[in-house]
Amino acid sequence: MKFEVNANLSYTAQGPSTLILNIQALKTPTQTVLEELLIVDPFVKVEHLSAGQNENRMFRLQVMDKKAFTITYRGIVENSFKETDHTNQIEVPVAQLDTSILPYLYPSRYCQSDKLYRFAHTKFGKIDNPFLKVLALTDWIHSNVEYLSGYTNAQTSAYDTVTELAGVCRDFAHLGIALCRALTIPARYFTGYAYKLDPPDFHACFEALIGNEWVLFDATRLVPLNGIVKIATGMDAAETAVASIFGEAQGNEVRVSCNLQEGEFVPFFYDAAQLKGISYQ
Amino acid sequence: MKFEVNANLSYTAQGPSTLILNIQALKTPTQTVLEELLIVDPFVKVEHLSAGQNENRMFRLQVMDKKAFTITYRGIVENSFKETDHTNQIEVPVAQLDTSILPYLYPSRYCQSDKLYRFAHTKFGKIDNPFLKVLALTDWIHSNVEYLSGYTNAQTSAYDTVTELAGVCRDFAHLGIALCRALTIPARYFTGYAYKLDPPDFHACFEALIGNEWVLFDATRLVPLNGIVKIATGMDAAETAVASIFGEAQGNEVRVSCNLQEGEFVPFFYDAAQLKGISYQ
Amino acid sequence: MKFEVNANLSYTAQGPSTLILNIQALKTPTQTVLEELLIVDPFVKVEHLSAGQNENRMFRLQVMDKKAFTITYRGIVENSFKETDHTNQIEVPVAQLDTSILPYLYPSRYCQSDKLYRFAHTKFGKIDNPFLKVLALTDWIHSNVEYLSGYTNAQTSAYDTVTELAGVCRDFAHLGIALCRALTIPARYFTGYAYKLDPPDFHACFEALIGNEWVLFDATRLVPLNGIVKIATGMDAAETAVASIFGEAQGNEVRVSCNLQEGEFVPFFYDAAQLKGISYQ
Amino acid sequence: MKFEVNANLSYTAQGPSTLILNIQALKTPTQTVLEELLIVDPFVKVEHLSAGQNENRMFRLQVMDKKAFTITYRGIVENSFKETDHTNQIEVPVAQLDTSILPYLYPSRYCQSDKLYRFAHTKFGKIDNPFLKVLALTDWIHSNVEYLSGYTNAQTSAYDTVTELAGVCRDFAHLGIALCRALTIPARYFTGYAYKLDPPDFHACFEALIGNEWVLFDATRLVPLNGIVKIATGMDAAETAVASIFGEAQGNEVRVSCNLQEGEFVPFFYDAAQLKGISYQ
């Protein structure tokens, strides 16, 4: 399918500041950026930080003096995803995981899987099929955590959310990841533009490694899983923040949109009766 | 100098288990492993997980049945370090840091730099020279945190230690790292064999990026900085654990030694009057 | 029934120390202390801190020099409890609670009810009968929290236990109290000698105010509810610690026993099919 | 001196709710309420919860249906305070503290003194004079914690503030109390109307027991210590909240004022060179 994505972020710098942004659509074998435009107004030179396939397309910019500025990104992106039937899926033992995957088993700032070991095993440990296991924990999050803007902040982590039971997409994703890792299922944070997200914003969900595929899960169920334009993946929100600010800048407004340009869209959500998983890779 | 390092770790598996170990001396331009021996007794096949220069030399082993086993590592290592005078050092701005360095600015499981921002800036923010800044925070940790075995556990993080003021080398290192990152100085966890550590054990300290060099700091001051055999570096103890255990194995005993085989050893510690930093790279 | 209770606590003072102990059987309308003996060996004068009916019978002692000492308490206690059928029980609204009860609705050091509000309401909010509500949360704790010595420590609180799901009687009680208070049911910590507790030790459970009676609940289910000799009640373990130590003393060994001297003992546990609650008042 | 105090609180109840309020001026030997007026508009009957001398003058009201309402309190209060010279003050040993004082040594919800033991002793343990000790810790808080509205919330505790170093009067008070208790100095939360507080609001500070007097300390230094009209004291904000809401009411606006009606006002703050302490008892 073909999507048009837009992001418009405005900042005020009170003094010298460096920003690292993660808002460009990723380039992957299944996601092609047909056109894109990145404008900083007033003009500031932007440095693109990585280039390799599947690598997050962060960019960095430095503002030396006090001023307000706006970053605008527009992309036309064509992408597809892989659908896999996980009916007879079995877990990949740690002994067979690729070295590059291992970090996604470790606890991170917002995903303290080490503290959720008993919780995860008590609740989900007996489910054999790893797809069903992650689906079950995603369902648990969906049923127990209330989607509530303003309740959490940038310091909120999975350890808080599992008890306080309220948060936004970021918190839902962190909890999903922490539970997966506690169950020895590699999991990572996923950010993207999401078609039909209302109100429009950047979206966060997570990927779990199932049968050597990074399968997408979204405990918020706010958007269909098949309308996502991938931006970045990482250990958690620390590594894939939309914006990391160093110095004296402050974010003001964020406006985001994601529109379908071509293709027929039939909303797709997971269903425990039919173990089809979606993977954007 | 030339060191002989030994590690002897015994485990009991109650059922199928996978272990990932980080106990082999690193191979770097300044550290050569002259000889080494790795034995699992009774025999279990070991898989080496990475090979690149400067990459942690983890290995993985899988035990399928209930049994006790011992892992023995012995290495003869020749290494040196670089001494740099940081008298006129200035901070590398974020805008000039290499992409590969950026993760070491982010908060991690045990180093919640985001929660220590004010603390770090209030206490150390006014020191300009980055070497002196890290030295000052290392001194603060040394003076305020009591080295106390058994007070902390595997869940203890920098956020605890900064208030509870007791811990072991791991806790000292995590706090050092968290404070550096809060001050926008990249920092990473460092594990090694340490000459003259008493009682002998694996040691943990940290590296801060100063003037594009990873400079070693040790807030415990338990060992001279010039008698270290590097094992691994990473975001924090989650990524560079001596042993990560998946499944039903339990660690029993750990015995470690580090002896000087050749070279003259003059213990070296930092000194605020003479800004010489040590770097093992 | 008639019980003989014994406690034997040994301490070593390294210097001047004051201890406050909570080990004497309470005197209440339904609990009579027939005989009792309190010995500190070598002799130290003991000061009894309160005397009123239903008040905790703490005592205080001061040791001025370095020495080891032992505190021995022996009591012969006759007590009974009230059994109430809560089949048609309704909640007492806050508007009708006595002023003296209100503190038991507030969060305390180990019972952060304010952080468990959503959790408690999501899980137990829909149960109308307050006895059944507290029984349900007690059952949830029993089913989800593993009784595990050595996992928790004196700093562990309900907020930890609700996620980490392991602990001892103290942790089970704190979680029960926190959940009750989150549901606007007054609850307090309860310590006592418990017949048939194995291994013998001081026991902790909790009381919830139901229909103007303090009804006993024990999420550990380690002992029958009808074999308890009450020692103290309070906000949480901070207020009713067996021993609060100020200065340089350290506890060594604790030996406790509780034996039935007279009366027939038919173990009694709660049962959701028969809403009989027990109250020691 | 004579003060006129006013409080105006507006609420919206979405359904049945009970509120407990702590806004009336306390009646003490040194504080006389000459006139007062308490109006709930539209009319709701108010129940006064306690009456004893020195007891907090809470009141309770119950709203059964959906409505907005306003609580207005106006008092004319004449009070004085005691000034004591603490130059040669010594600490009251725990062994001599009255039983009623002991709870103020224990950790509470927002004052986790047990976790601040080392911190308090490392920083302030060597100061002998208890007045100077509390003054020193108050000064430390004042110098290190930034007064910042909106940074903290109702769940923030001393354990957070000691590291995060930002908060409002409530947070300053909790940290002061926690540090005192960690140093075995009884301390309690104190709320009042404060002359010259800008912007006007309820104020919170704390009392420490020094030489058998409850001496007032205020780490915010926002107001002179001699212009306070006492409302309540308690373990921490949990026990002395301006408003505790049960049910579905929400607070809207709070307006407070405190004006001098009679007497000459010479602002008084503590001074380490002159150990005069103020006590409102």
Side-chain angles (χ1 to χ4, degrees):
Chain A
M1 270 166 302
K2 207 156 117 189
F3 295 95
E4 184 204 354
V5 300
N6 285 279
N8 190 283
L9 299 91
S10 61
Y11 293 91
T12 307
Q14 300 298 335
S17 315
T18 297
L19 280 80
I20 297 173
L21 288 118
N22 247 315
I23 59 172
Q24 297 186 101
L26 205 60
K27 294 177 176 175
T28 74
T30 61
Q31 180 166 294
T32 307
V33 180
L34 302 173
E35 291 174 40
E36 67 182 348
L37 193 71
L38 180 62
I39 296 170
V40 185
D41 177 35
F43 177 76
V44 177
K45 199 171 157 268
V46 149
E47 179 196 6
H48 292 277
L49 291 181
S50 58
Q53 178 118 327
N54 268 356
E55 274 184 54
N56 298 339
R57 299 178 61 218
M58 295 181 286
F59 60 88
R60 176 162 59 188
L61 54 96
Q62 198 180 7
V63 175
M64 297 312 292
D65 43 2
K66 203 170 160 166
K67 70 168 163 182
F69 59 98
T70 305
I71 298 165
T72 305
Y73 175 72
R74 179 176 179 271
I76 307 294
V77 179
E78 180 138 38
N79 74 0
S80 63
F81 49 81
K82 192 176 163 190
E83 257 187 51
T84 303
D85 185 321
H86 293 285
T87 307
N88 299 308
Q89 198 56 264
I90 55 165
E91 268 187 48
V92 184
V94 178
Q96 287 166 30
L97 290 174
D98 190 77
T99 310
S100 66
I101 299 296
L102 293 173
Y104 298 107
L105 285 176
Y106 301 143
S108 63
R109 170 65 184 91
Y110 301 110
C111 307
Q112 303 97 326
S113 45
D114 55 318
K115 297 182 108 174
L116 296 173
Y117 183 86
R118 276 163 194 286
F119 179 86
H121 280 266
T122 300
K123 282 221 146 21
F124 312 109
K126 281 177 195 140
I127 304 168
D128 275 334
N129 183 312
F131 183 83
L132 271 177
K133 198 181 255 185
V134 181
L135 200 59
L137 70 87
T138 307
D139 283 353
W140 184 90
I141 297 170
H142 181 74
S143 307
N144 287 277
V145 182
E146 184 178 351
Y147 193 93
L148 196 59
S149 286
Y151 186 83
T152 53
N153 60 34
Q155 294 192 356
T156 305
S157 67
Y159 187 66
D160 301 310
T161 305
V162 73
T163 303
E164 303 202 23
L165 302 175
V168 294
C169 60
R170 165 196 166 104
D171 306 302
F172 281 64
H174 283 151
L175 182 50
I177 293 166
L179 292 173
C180 285
R181 293 184 192 160
L183 294 161
T184 322
I185 296 175
R188 64 188 191 188
Y189 197 75
F190 176 111
T191 62
Y193 294 92
Y195 180 47
K196 290 189 173 298
L197 182 59
D198 182 27
D201 201 343
F202 291 106
H203 194 47
C205 40
F206 73 97
E207 291 177 333
L209 193 83
I210 294 175
N212 289 317
E213 248 167 46
W214 283 109
V215 181
L216 190 72
F217 289 90
D218 182 356
T220 68
R221 287 199 208 152
L222 288 178
V223 291
L225 293 164
N226 56 336
I228 311 274
V229 172
K230 191 171 190 168
I231 296 174
T233 58
M235 286 296 281
D236 60 22
E239 210 183 341
T240 52
V242 164
S244 301
I245 302 176
F246 302 91
E248 299 167 58
Q250 283 186 316
N252 302 323
E253 211 187 350
V254 173
R255 274 180 301 155
V256 173
S257 69
C258 178
N259 298 305
L260 187 66
Q261 283 223 324
E262 235 176 55
E264 199 188 350
F265 191 81
V266 184
F268 178 79
F269 291 89
Y270 289 153
D271 179 353
Q274 179 197 359
L275 308 189
K276 250 191 302 187
I278 271 185
S279 172
Y280 290 87
Q281 255 168 320
Chain B
M1 270 165 308
K2 205 155 116 191
F3 295 95
E4 184 204 354
V5 299
N6 284 280
N8 190 282
L9 300 91
S10 62
Y11 293 91
T12 307
Q14 299 300 334
S17 314
T18 296
L19 281 80
I20 298 173
L21 288 117
N22 247 316
I23 60 173
Q24 298 186 102
L26 205 60
K27 294 176 176 174
T28 74
T30 61
Q31 181 166 295
T32 308
V33 179
L34 301 173
E35 291 173 39
E36 68 182 348
L37 194 70
L38 179 62
I39 296 171
V40 185
D41 177 36
F43 177 75
V44 177
K45 200 172 156 267
V46 150
E47 179 196 8
H48 292 278
L49 291 181
S50 59
Q53 179 118 326
N54 267 357
E55 274 183 55
N56 298 339
R57 297 179 61 219
M58 295 181 288
F59 60 88
R60 176 163 58 187
L61 54 95
Q62 197 181 9
V63 175
M64 297 311 292
D65 43 1
K66 202 169 160 168
K67 70 169 163 182
F69 60 98
T70 305
I71 298 166
T72 305
Y73 175 72
R74 179 175 179 271
I76 307 293
V77 179
E78 182 139 39
N79 74 0
S80 63
F81 50 81
K82 192 177 163 190
E83 258 187 52
T84 303
D85 186 321
H86 293 285
T87 308
N88 299 308
Q89 199 56 264
I90 53 163
E91 268 186 50
V92 183
V94 178
Q96 287 167 29
L97 289 174
D98 190 78
T99 310
S100 65
I101 299 295
L102 293 173
Y104 299 107
L105 285 176
Y106 300 143
S108 63
R109 169 65 183 91
Y110 300 111
C111 307
Q112 302 96 326
S113 45
D114 56 318
K115 297 182 107 173
L116 297 172
Y117 182 86
R118 276 163 195 284
F119 179 87
H121 281 265
T122 300
K123 283 222 145 20
F124 312 109
K126 281 176 195 140
I127 305 169
D128 275 335
N129 184 311
F131 183 82
L132 272 177
K133 198 181 254 184
V134 182
L135 201 58
L137 69 87
T138 308
D139 283 353
W140 184 90
I141 296 171
H142 181 75
S143 307
N144 286 277
V145 182
E146 184 179 349
Y147 193 94
L148 196 59
S149 287
Y151 186 83
T152 52
N153 60 34
Q155 295 192 355
T156 305
S157 67
Y159 188 66
D160 302 310
T161 304
V162 73
T163 303
E164 303 202 24
L165 301 174
V168 294
C169 59
R170 163 195 167 106
D171 305 304
F172 281 63
H174 283 151
L175 182 48
I177 294 165
L179 292 173
C180 286
R181 293 185 192 159
L183 294 160
T184 321
I185 296 175
R188 64 187 190 189
Y189 197 74
F190 175 111
T191 63
Y193 294 92
Y195 181 48
K196 290 190 173 295
L197 182 59
D198 183 27
D201 202 343
F202 291 106
H203 194 47
C205 39
F206 73 97
E207 292 177 332
L209 193 84
I210 295 175
N212 287 318
E213 249 167 47
W214 283 110
V215 181
L216 190 71
F217 290 89
D218 182 356
T220 70
R221 287 200 209 152
L222 288 178
V223 292
L225 292 164
N226 56 337
I228 310 274
V229 172
K230 192 171 189 168
I231 296 174
T233 57
M235 286 295 282
D236 60 22
E239 210 184 341
T240 53
V242 164
S244 300
I245 301 176
F246 302 90
E248 300 166 56
Q250 283 186 316
N252 302 322
E253 212 187 348
V254 173
R255 275 179 300 156
V256 172
S257 70
C258 178
N259 297 305
L260 187 66
Q261 284 222 326
E262 237 175 55
E264 200 187 350
F265 190 82
V266 184
F268 178 80
F269 291 89
Y270 289 153
D271 179 351
Q274 180 197 356
L275 307 188
K276 249 192 303 190
I278 271 185
S279 173
Y280 290 86
Q281 255 167 320
Chain C
M1 269 165 305
K2 205 155 119 190
F3 295 95
E4 183 203 354
V5 299
N6 285 280
N8 190 283
L9 298 92
S10 62
Y11 293 91
T12 308
Q14 299 299 334
S17 314
T18 296
L19 280 80
I20 296 173
L21 288 118
N22 247 315
I23 59 172
Q24 298 185 100
L26 205 61
K27 294 177 177 174
T28 74
T30 62
Q31 181 167 294
T32 308
V33 179
L34 302 174
E35 291 174 39
E36 67 182 346
L37 193 70
L38 179 64
I39 298 170
V40 186
D41 177 36
F43 177 76
V44 177
K45 198 170 158 268
V46 150
E47 178 196 6
H48 292 278
L49 292 180
S50 57
Q53 179 118 324
N54 267 356
E55 275 184 54
N56 299 338
R57 298 180 60 219
M58 296 181 286
F59 60 88
R60 175 161 61 185
L61 54 96
Q62 198 182 8
V63 176
M64 297 311 292
D65 43 2
K66 204 170 159 164
K67 70 169 162 183
F69 59 98
T70 305
I71 298 165
T72 305
Y73 175 72
R74 179 176 179 272
I76 307 293
V77 179
E78 182 139 38
N79 73 0
S80 63
F81 50 82
K82 190 176 165 192
E83 259 188 51
T84 304
D85 186 322
H86 294 284
T87 307
N88 299 310
Q89 198 56 263
I90 54 164
E91 269 187 50
V92 183
V94 178
Q96 288 166 30
L97 290 174
D98 189 79
T99 309
S100 66
I101 299 296
L102 293 173
Y104 298 107
L105 285 176
Y106 300 143
S108 63
R109 170 63 182 93
Y110 300 110
C111 307
Q112 302 97 327
S113 45
D114 55 319
K115 297 182 107 172
L116 296 173
Y117 183 85
R118 276 163 194 286
F119 180 86
H121 281 266
T122 300
K123 283 221 146 17
F124 312 108
K126 282 176 195 140
I127 304 169
D128 275 335
N129 184 313
F131 184 83
L132 272 176
K133 200 181 253 185
V134 181
L135 200 59
L137 68 87
T138 308
D139 283 353
W140 185 90
I141 296 170
H142 181 75
S143 307
N144 286 277
V145 182
E146 185 179 350
Y147 193 93
L148 196 60
S149 286
Y151 186 83
T152 52
N153 60 33
Q155 295 192 355
T156 305
S157 67
Y159 187 65
D160 302 309
T161 304
V162 73
T163 303
E164 303 202 24
L165 301 175
V168 293
C169 60
R170 165 195 166 104
D171 305 304
F172 281 64
H174 283 150
L175 182 49
I177 294 165
L179 292 173
C180 285
R181 292 184 192 160
L183 294 160
T184 320
I185 296 175
R188 64 188 191 188
Y189 197 73
F190 175 112
T191 63
Y193 293 92
Y195 180 47
K196 289 192 175 295
L197 182 59
D198 183 27
D201 202 343
F202 292 106
H203 194 48
C205 39
F206 72 98
E207 292 177 332
L209 192 84
I210 295 176
N212 288 317
E213 248 166 47
W214 283 109
V215 182
L216 190 71
F217 289 90
D218 183 354
T220 69
R221 287 198 208 152
L222 288 178
V223 292
L225 293 164
N226 56 336
I228 310 275
V229 172
K230 191 171 190 168
I231 295 174
T233 58
M235 285 295 282
D236 59 22
E239 209 184 341
T240 53
V242 165
S244 300
I245 301 175
F246 302 91
E248 299 167 56
Q250 282 186 316
N252 302 322
E253 212 188 347
V254 172
R255 274 180 300 157
V256 173
S257 70
C258 180
N259 297 307
L260 186 67
Q261 282 222 327
E262 239 176 54
E264 200 188 349
F265 191 80
V266 184
F268 178 80
F269 291 90
Y270 289 154
D271 179 352
Q274 181 197 356
L275 307 188
K276 249 191 302 191
I278 271 184
S279 173
Y280 290 86
Q281 255 167 319
Chain D
M1 269 166 305
K2 203 155 118 190
F3 295 95
E4 184 204 354
V5 300
N6 285 279
N8 189 282
L9 299 91
S10 61
Y11 293 91
T12 308
Q14 299 300 334
S17 314
T18 297
L19 279 81
I20 297 173
L21 288 118
N22 248 315
I23 60 173
Q24 297 186 102
L26 205 60
K27 295 177 176 174
T28 75
T30 61
Q31 181 167 294
T32 307
V33 179
L34 302 173
E35 292 174 37
E36 67 183 348
L37 193 71
L38 180 64
I39 297 170
V40 185
D41 177 36
F43 177 74
V44 177
K45 197 170 158 268
V46 151
E47 178 195 9
H48 292 278
L49 291 181
S50 57
Q53 178 117 324
N54 268 356
E55 273 183 57
N56 299 339
R57 298 179 62 222
M58 296 181 287
F59 60 89
R60 176 164 58 188
L61 55 95
Q62 198 182 6
V63 175
M64 296 311 292
D65 44 1
K66 204 168 160 167
K67 70 167 162 182
F69 58 99
T70 305
I71 298 165
T72 305
Y73 175 71
R74 179 176 180 271
I76 307 294
V77 179
E78 182 138 39
N79 74 359
S80 62
F81 49 82
K82 191 176 163 191
E83 258 187 52
T84 304
D85 185 321
H86 294 284
T87 307
N88 299 308
Q89 198 55 263
I90 55 164
E91 268 186 50
V92 183
V94 178
Q96 288 166 30
L97 290 174
D98 189 79
T99 309
S100 66
I101 300 294
L102 293 173
Y104 298 107
L105 285 175
Y106 300 142
S108 63
R109 169 66 182 90
Y110 300 111
C111 307
Q112 303 96 326
S113 45
D114 56 317
K115 297 182 107 174
L116 295 173
Y117 183 86
R118 278 165 192 283
F119 179 87
H121 281 266
T122 300
K123 283 223 145 19
F124 313 109
K126 282 178 194 136
I127 304 168
D128 276 335
N129 183 312
F131 183 83
L132 272 176
K133 199 181 254 185
V134 181
L135 200 58
L137 68 88
T138 307
D139 283 353
W140 184 91
I141 296 170
H142 181 75
S143 307
N144 286 277
V145 182
E146 183 179 350
Y147 193 93
L148 195 60
S149 286
Y151 186 83
T152 53
N153 60 34
Q155 295 192 355
T156 305
S157 67
Y159 187 66
D160 303 309
T161 304
V162 73
T163 304
E164 303 201 24
L165 300 175
V168 293
C169 59
R170 164 195 167 105
D171 305 303
F172 281 64
H174 283 151
L175 183 49
I177 294 166
L179 292 172
C180 284
R181 293 185 192 159
L183 294 160
T184 320
I185 296 175
R188 63 187 190 188
Y189 196 75
F190 175 112
T191 62
Y193 293 92
Y195 181 47
K196 290 191 175 295
L197 182 59
D198 183 27
D201 202 344
F202 291 106
H203 194 47
C205 40
F206 73 97
E207 292 178 331
L209 192 84
I210 294 176
N212 288 318
E213 249 167 46
W214 283 110
V215 182
L216 190 72
F217 290 89
D218 182 355
T220 69
R221 287 199 207 151
L222 288 177
V223 292
L225 292 164
N226 56 336
I228 310 275
V229 172
K230 191 171 189 168
I231 296 174
T233 58
M235 285 296 281
D236 60 21
E239 210 184 340
T240 53
V242 164
S244 300
I245 301 175
F246 302 90
E248 299 166 57
Q250 282 185 317
N252 302 323
E253 213 187 347
V254 172
R255 275 179 299 157
V256 173
S257 70
C258 178
N259 298 306
L260 188 64
Q261 284 222 325
E262 237 174 54
E264 198 187 351
F265 191 81
V266 184
F268 177 79
F269 291 89
Y270 289 154
D271 179 352
Q274 180 196 358
L275 306 189
K276 251 191 302 190
I278 271 185
S279 173
Y280 289 86
Q281 254 165 322

